[in-house]
Amino acid sequence: MERRRTPAAPPRYGRRGFWDALYRREGAETREWLGGLSRFLPQLEPELRPGDRILVLGCGNSALSHDLHELGYTDVTSIDFSPACIAAMRARYARCPGLRWAVMDIRALAFPDASFDVVLEKGTLDVLMVEE
């Protein structure tokens, strides 16, 4: 019997141009690739403390950062390597002063050591491993 191989993830996921084009089309319209915060909040919340400095890696157009802010975690920095994504998210959540947005590649973080208490990623590693 021939063994079926799992189809490979589209290699375009590893390309910045793919994400820029996607975010130019979608803007900051929320898209939750693996589910929203409510899906994993029971596991996450016991690990979070008031005042935690949170970094969200590869934020995309997920509402995760905003949802954390709304729960009272007001020091949230979100990064993505797509300038189109970050521009859209900054505009969408401009009314939330505790949310910060930066264009940055997670493979080359530009933050000083110990800048964050919590680092979250929700699907970003899939993009890094797309060719594996």
Side-chain angles (χ1 to χ4, degrees):
M1 176 187 275
E2 186 178 337
R3 186 170 177 203
R4 293 174 72 188
R5 293 181 55 155
T6 304
R12 66 185 186 272
Y13 283 2
R15 296 188 189 119
R16 185 178 311 214
F18 167 79
W19 296 105
D20 281 338
L22 177 77
Y23 295 127
R24 277 194 293 276
R25 280 192 314 274
E26 293 185 359
E29 188 63 37
T30 301
R31 179 188 283 216
E32 301 297 347
W33 288 63
L34 300 174
L37 178 59
S38 63
R39 184 171 184 174
F40 57 94
L41 187 60
Q43 293 80 27
L44 180 61
E45 202 163 33
E47 305 301 324
L48 298 176
R49 305 288 174 263
D52 274 348
R53 299 165 299 165
I54 301 172
L55 174 63
V56 178
L57 301 173
C59 63
N61 53 3
S62 167
L64 175 63
S65 301
H66 175 258
D67 292 347
L68 286 166
H69 182 271
E70 293 299 298
L71 286 176
Y73 302 100
T74 57
D75 189 345
V76 181
T77 300
S78 304
I79 65 169
D80 199 283
F81 76 167
S82 167
C85 171
I86 293 300
M89 297 303 276
R90 275 187 186 135
R92 180 177 184 138
Y93 297 115
R95 72 188 186 288
C96 302
L99 294 179
R100 285 175 303 288
W101 307 93
V103 176
M104 195 176 301
D105 188 320
I106 67 170
R107 296 168 293 187
L109 297 177
F111 301 109
D113 290 348
S115 293
F116 301 98
D117 304 300
V118 176
V119 178
L120 301 175
E121 90 63 48
K122 189 178 73 125
T124 302
L125 292 179
D126 290 345
V127 172
L128 290 178
M129 304 302 288
V130 72
E131 299 290 335
E132 298 296 319

